[in-house]
């Protein structure tokens, strides 16, 4: 990729990785094929041809040490108020961007949020999402993958009775192949402009575009089963 593609745009990757987690204790540094989970996101960001700086936002000294070992910058430890279960990703990113802006002549134009729980996202995925945002002049780009279960066929239970989750004409979609495409957020990549994040105080703007990823690169580690599945996918022993 020619660097002229991104012009004078400053592009920052932030990997939010707090020390606490519920589904898997110390999830962000659990070992996956010989590397801590967070290492895969750091490596992908460093291999990206669009990202110019890779920063890990954490409240945890051990995570900070591991992040630095794999090449990320950890210029601060996240304050306790941004390290709780209820702290939003947007607030964490805003803190990181403001901290770094104080130390730069030119602030970052594009912020890329890379969750450490997406180890199969590639450097090329990052680059394609960033380029999509830049070339289309979009507010933001978010990664999605084909939905595992189509919402048209989902149900809700009230009492002990089953009802459709959505009112859909069953005769119009009698077979799975007839269903319109449906996608779900996979949590791998969020690309946003500085103005959207700081001035509008949100991660995704009105003009948000989709970057579609295949399911085999879209696993989001939340449980021990997810971690094992990621290992099997990476070994080539299973395909989602």
């Amino acid at each position: 990729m020619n660097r002229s593609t991104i012009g004078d745009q400053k592009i920052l990757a932030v990997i939010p990785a707090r020390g606490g987690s519920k589904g898997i204790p110390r999830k962000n540094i659990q070992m996956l094929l010989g590397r801590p989970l967070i290492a895969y996101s750091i490596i992908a960001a460093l291999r990206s041809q669009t990202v110019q700086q890779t920063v890990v936002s954490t409240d945890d000294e051990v995570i900070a040490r591991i992040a630095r070992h794999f090449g990320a910058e950890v210029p601060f430890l996240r304050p306790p108020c941004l390290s709780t279960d209820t702290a939003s990703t947007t607030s964490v990113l805003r803190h990181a961007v403001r901290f770094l802006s104080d130390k730069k002549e030119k602030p970052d134009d594009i912020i890329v949020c890379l969750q450490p729980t997406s180890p199969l996202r590639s450097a090329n995925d990052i680059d394609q999402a960033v380029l999509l945002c830049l070339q289309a002049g979009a507010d933001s780009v978010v990664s999605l993958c084909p939905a595992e279960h189509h919402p048209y066929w989902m149900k809700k239970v009230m009492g002990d009775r089953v009802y459709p989750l959505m009112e859909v004409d069953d005769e119009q979609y009698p077979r799975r192949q007839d269903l319109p495409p449906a996608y779900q957020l996979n949590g791998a990549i969020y690309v946003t402009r500085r103005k959207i994040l700081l001035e509008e105080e949100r991660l995704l703007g009105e003009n948000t575009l989709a970057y579609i990823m295949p399911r085999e690169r879209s696993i989001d580690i939340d449980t021990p089963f997810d971690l094992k599945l990621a290992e099997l996918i990476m070994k080539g022993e299973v395909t989602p």
Side-chain angles (χ1 to χ4, degrees):
M1 180 187 300
N2 192 316
R3 292 295 297 179
S4 64
T5 306
I6 63 173
D8 63 351
Q9 300 287 303
K10 299 285 288 182
I11 300 169
L12 166 72
V14 179
I15 302 173
R18 70 187 185 94
S21 58
K22 291 183 176 179
I24 306 176
R26 308 289 287 165
K27 175 173 61 178
N28 291 321
I29 54 175
Q30 284 291 312
M31 298 304 288
L32 175 61
L33 292 186
R35 286 176 175 162
L37 182 58
I38 192 173
Y40 293 92
S41 293
I42 294 172
I43 292 168
L46 294 175
R47 288 178 178 171
S48 161
Q49 297 183 57
T50 55
V51 170
Q52 296 152 2
Q53 184 180 18
T54 300
V55 168
V56 168
S57 170
T58 185
D59 60 322
D60 188 279
E61 290 280 7
V62 175
I63 293 177
R65 185 170 67 249
I66 290 171
R68 292 188 183 104
H69 173 78
F70 283 95
E73 298 177 37
V74 190
F76 57 83
L77 284 182
R78 194 192 303 176
C81 63
L82 294 177
S83 304
T84 65
D85 290 341
T86 57
S88 70
T89 299
T90 301
S91 63
V92 169
L93 295 178
R94 283 162 54 83
H95 169 264
V97 170
R98 284 176 167 160
F99 181 95
L100 296 168
S101 294
D102 292 340
K103 306 179 183 309
K104 295 181 178 181
E105 277 188 33
K106 185 181 186 303
D108 299 294
D109 300 292
I110 300 289
I111 293 85
V112 184
C113 177
L114 303 174
Q115 302 281 7
T117 49
S118 297
L120 300 176
R121 164 235 302 114
S122 69
N124 183 62
D125 287 322
I126 297 170
D127 288 337
Q128 293 304 313
V130 170
L131 290 175
L132 177 60
C133 186
L134 291 175
Q135 293 172 351
D139 290 340
S140 43
V141 169
V142 65
S143 60
L144 304 97
C145 65
E148 183 175 1
H149 304 290
H150 202 288
Y152 280 16
W153 283 5
M154 287 186 176
K155 307 297 181 183
K156 60 185 176 183
V157 177
M158 300 176 66
D160 58 355
R161 295 192 61 183
V162 177
Y163 299 89
L165 182 65
M166 304 172 64
E167 291 299 329
V168 179
D169 183 356
D170 291 338
E171 293 184 3
Q172 186 178 358
Y173 304 111
R175 304 175 306 158
R176 179 179 57 81
Q177 298 94 318
D178 299 321
L179 295 169
Y183 300 92
Q184 63 189 50
L185 296 174
N186 67 1
I189 305 171
Y190 297 85
V191 179
T192 193
R193 294 184 184 271
R194 175 186 178 86
K195 176 183 177 181
I196 302 300
L197 186 64
L198 295 189
E199 296 180 20
E200 298 187 14
E201 299 187 10
R202 52 182 175 168
L203 186 53
L204 301 177
E206 291 291 334
N207 180 21
T208 294
L209 301 184
Y211 174 67
I212 307 299
M213 293 173 58
R215 285 184 55 199
E216 60 265 25
R217 294 203 307 277
S218 294
I219 188 166
D220 183 14
I221 308 296
D222 190 47
T223 66
F225 175 80
D226 296 332
L227 197 63
K228 184 62 178 178
L229 179 58
E231 178 182 328
L232 293 173
I233 293 171
M234 294 169 77
K235 286 181 175 179
E237 296 179 10
V238 67
T239 301

